[in-house]
Amino acid sequence: MISNIVLTTGLLLILIGLWGVLTHRNILRIIIGFSLFGTGTHIVIVAIGYVTNGTAPILDRTLSLSEASSRVVDPIPSALVVTAIVIGMAVTAIMLAYTIRLYDSKKTLSIDALMESKW
Amino acid sequence: MIRSLFTIFAIVLLGVVFATIAVSYSEQQSLRPLAESYVQLVPRDLGAANVVTGILLTYRAFDTLGEVAVLFMVAASAGLILGTRQRRPEERGEPAQEAARPSSEIVQTGSQILAPLISIFAAYIIMNGHLSAGGGFQGGAVIASCVLLILLTYPEHRINVEFLSITESLAGALFVLTGIVGLIAAGGFLDSHILPLGQFGAFFSAGAIPILSALLGVKVGCELSVILDRFRPQP
Amino acid sequence: MTELVGSILILAGAVFHFSAGLGMLRMPDAYARMQAGTKATTLGNTLLLAGLAFYHPGWSLKLLIIAYFVLTTNPVSSHALARAAHSIGIPMFGGSGIDTLRDRDQKLRSET
């Protein structure tokens, strides 16, 4: 039940991000759309790892070693998402750097100014 | 017109696929075999209480090394893309900027209260990577946010980019060196058994994982700070 | 009984958060939107944390520290954003037209 709700939220965010990328003309809004897309994907990956009535995979005084494997959620999607978040942020930084250079050369933030290589 | 039709068609098609996934998904009832073996192995074999950090820094350590390389590439690319701009706005064809108004007293006081607290919090997250939720990447990002706060509050402040670059490269090189020591002294590249496992849950435990966490945190923090400095307007 | 009080506080916090979102959609200009976003969300956060303290009394000190952080950072960041918006010249919405920051800047510039 919980993972179904979180999964639906993540998939909705992916759709909204994709709509934002395809529709807007302002480069900064396209970048925000990409960021939404990435966040939605991370939420989907984490939601797939949920085990019913599970808790965080951290062993402390409330979770002993013997009952660990029956009460924790899947740790592998969380580990993958940690890497993915950092790389998503790095790609956003490069996109913003490109935006600054494009604004320097075209003096406008609209993507319609960059259509000369359209096929 | 055609573009908006194509957009609507793509969104609707993807929406149908996603709806099929969301409706027919059933929650896992028990851990899959690989996850169960990781949950059993990490506390016994590595001595780390945080299973996710144990996976990230030992069993999946190549992914972490690749991410370190990606971050370094991004810092270099940001320097390449933004470093060759004309220095002053007049040469770029923009009107000359008047001197930036200094930040107000409220912001300065707020940042003086917050910057030490954020730094302590970042150090706490890095050091507790193997005991509780935390780790190198998370702590490094918080360090970078502290640097961003200082950059926003004192716009004329110069940060020492050479020192940060040297620190970041040293941290990355030490990370790889620790991995090579693992090749010589323990099971393989980036194996964390080169240091004794210690008592479970103590601060100095889990082999080389605290050291790798600390090196990662320093590297990510310096890298993000250098990237942030590139985005500032050059005076 | 304590759970009822906690639930009412959390509900009040959620209502304030909703009103913040509604205000951000409906306010006429950027400054009013920032005001709606800051005041209502800060109060909503504080009420939410207070309601949570009724559910878990052992966490009270940690929740108090979190509330202190929210109260320190949210108004300061909104203040910085509003000053930045004013300095790049975002127009105010009609109305009274009293702009003390612009008057003070003009006075400072004419003095130096």
Side-chain angles (χ1 to χ4, degrees), chain A residues 6-8 23-24 27 45 47 56 58 63 77 79 88 96 102 108 111-112:
Chain A
V6 180
L7 187 66
T8 316
T23 312
H24 285 294
I27 294 184
I45 296 179
I58 297 176
L63 183 69
L96 287 171
L102 282 172
T108 173
I111 202 170
D112 289 328

Side-chain angles (χ1 to χ4, degrees), chain C residues 1-3 5-7 9 49-57 60 63:
Chain C
M1 181 57 198
T2 53
E3 293 206 351
V5 175
S7 304
L9 282 175
L49 293 169
L52 202 55
F54 276 96
Y55 266 94
H56 293 270
S60 304
L63 293 175

Side-chain angles (χ1 to χ4, degrees), chain A residues 27-102:
Chain A
I27 294 184
L28 288 178
R29 296 189 185 180
I30 295 179
I31 294 179
I32 295 181
F34 271 115
S35 181
L36 271 180
F37 201 159
T39 303
T41 314
H42 301 148
I43 294 181
V44 165
I45 296 179
V46 168
I48 290 182
Y50 183 70
V51 171
T52 313
N53 291 332
T55 177
I58 297 176
L59 298 143
D60 52 4
R61 55 180 183 277
T62 56
L63 183 69
S64 69
L65 185 55
S66 51
E67 55 182 18
S69 64
S70 61
R71 269 184 59 196
V72 293
V73 296
D74 203 342
I76 301 179
S78 307
L80 298 177
V81 162
V82 166
T83 308
I85 290 179
V86 176
I87 295 191
M89 176 225 64
V91 171
T92 307
I94 294 295
M95 282 198 278
L96 287 171
Y98 267 118
T99 308
I100 293 182
R101 290 307 292 258
L102 282 172

Side-chain angles (χ1 to χ4, degrees), chain A residues 3-14:
Chain A
S3 71
N4 276 328
I5 297 177
V6 180
L7 187 66
T8 316
T9 311
L11 294 172
L12 263 177
L13 274 178
I14 293 181

Side-chain angles (χ1 to χ4, degrees), chain B residues 97-104 108 152-156, chain C residues 31 79-89 99-106 108-109:
Chain B
Q97 278 177 341
E98 51 183 54
R101 182 171 58 189
S103 51
S104 72
Q108 285 185 356
L152 283 176
T153 315
Y154 302 102
E156 314 88 27
Chain C
Y31 304 101
H79 169 84
L81 269 176
R83 278 178 70 99
H86 186 271
S87 91
I88 70 173
D99 193 351
T100 27
L101 190 57
R102 184 186 58 204
D103 300 336
R104 199 179 67 163
D105 277 345
Q106 276 174 350
L108 274 176
R109 232 176 293 144

